[in-house]
Amino acid sequence: MFNGASNFSHDVDAIFLFSLIVSVFFLVLITGLMIYFVIKYNRKKNPKATNYHGNMGLEITWTVIPTILVLIMFWFGWIGYSDMANAPANSLNIDVTAQMWKWTFKYGNGKVSDSLYVPVNKPIKLTLHSLDVNHAFYVPKFRIKKDVYPNQTRTVWFKAEELGDFDIACAEYCGLNHSHMYNKVKVIPEKNFDLWLNSAAGNDSTMAKDSTAAKKGN
């Protein structure tokens, strides 16, 4: 947590942390009350059970507080979803094709690659297609995931803020060789990206070395 590499990482981690804290708080509170009542109202101390017919204050409290917390979570989730759904106008557009069992990336000039090359600190808009079954484009380090369906076009965007190689996975079981759908996002300096994009044939090993060298230089 809090070690992401995209513009969405901090917000997603903050929402997750908030939800986790709320969940742990109520887990401890409810468990503690259960233990307290078991001890206080055990049969030895209370051989004759006492019936309670209701408490309006408690009823309102345990209805209103969870409702407010759920609405807060929904609000943060909606804001995050809206941000992820609206790519900036100056985004670099890349077509992504999912199929059993690989990812293919096509750039605006027609260049195609098996790994996703992107420039650092530039908005990237991915247009997602599936040729066969349901897939899910997932980059854990960027905190983005988007389901990819046959006969549908879906989009997701991000801005990589660190140089380096980051895992791409398919987060939807798509068949026998589902585990083969691991690939890489290679985040490189913009000048290196322009050279790679406009070259006749991209040299993956050279670009990987340049990416690593630039990252160390920072």
Side-chain angles (χ1 to χ4, degrees):
M1 189 180 293
F2 300 113
N3 63 345
S6 82
N7 56 311
F8 295 123
S9 302
H10 177 76
D11 290 343
V12 171
D13 289 349
I15 295 171
F16 180 83
L17 182 61
F18 172 73
S19 302
L20 179 63
I21 290 173
V22 171
S23 300
V24 171
F25 171 78
F26 280 103
L27 172 65
V28 173
L29 175 64
I30 293 170
T31 303
L33 288 173
M34 288 174 58
I35 294 172
Y36 170 76
F37 290 134
V38 166
I39 295 173
K40 182 175 180 178
Y41 297 106
N42 67 76
R43 180 175 294 182
K44 291 181 179 179
K45 294 181 179 180
N46 297 271
K48 184 177 181 179
T50 303
N51 292 323
Y52 291 90
H53 298 286
N55 185 306
M56 183 61 70
L58 285 175
E59 295 282 353
I60 293 173
T61 299
W62 66 48
T63 300
V64 171
I65 292 178
T67 301
I68 292 174
L69 289 172
V70 168
L71 289 175
I72 291 172
M73 293 178 187
F74 170 79
W75 174 252
F76 284 130
W78 174 254
I79 294 299
Y81 172 81
S82 299
D83 290 343
M84 290 184 177
N86 298 304
N90 63 336
S91 299
L92 172 67
N93 293 289
I94 303 173
D95 284 334
V96 181
T97 301
Q99 65 186 92
M100 299 185 290
W101 285 277
K102 68 174 184 176
W103 302 99
T104 303
F105 306 97
K106 184 176 181 180
Y107 297 79
N109 64 353
K111 188 160 188 171
V112 177
S113 68
D114 292 329
S115 297
L116 176 59
Y117 287 89
V118 298
V120 68
N121 292 322
K122 183 175 180 62
I124 308 297
K125 181 181 178 181
L126 304 180
T127 303
L128 305 160
H129 320 267
S130 173
L131 296 183
D132 36 51
V133 299
N134 292 353
H135 300 276
F137 183 84
Y138 179 40
V139 185
K141 196 76 170 179
F142 291 174
R143 309 296 193 264
I144 60 169
K145 183 172 83 72
K146 196 76 170 182
D147 292 335
V148 190
Y149 304 126
N151 304 315
Q152 287 191 27
T153 297
R154 313 198 76 202
T155 60
V156 67
W157 80 277
F158 63 89
K159 183 171 67 175
E161 297 180 338
E162 292 183 13
L163 297 170
D165 294 352
F166 306 99
D167 289 330
I168 301 173
C170 178
E172 182 80 19
Y173 181 71
C174 56
L176 182 63
N177 292 323
H178 164 71
S179 60
H180 290 191
M181 290 194 70
Y182 273 100
N183 212 312
K184 294 288 184 181
V185 182
K186 297 180 179 289
V187 184
I188 56 180
E190 187 167 2
K191 63 179 181 179
N192 292 21
F193 174 79
D194 291 337
L195 288 172
W196 173 84
L197 184 63
N198 296 311
S199 63
N203 188 324
D204 287 4
S205 60
T206 300
M207 300 309 297
K209 291 178 181 177
D210 289 345
S211 173
T212 302
K215 188 174 182 180
K216 291 181 178 178
N218 283 359

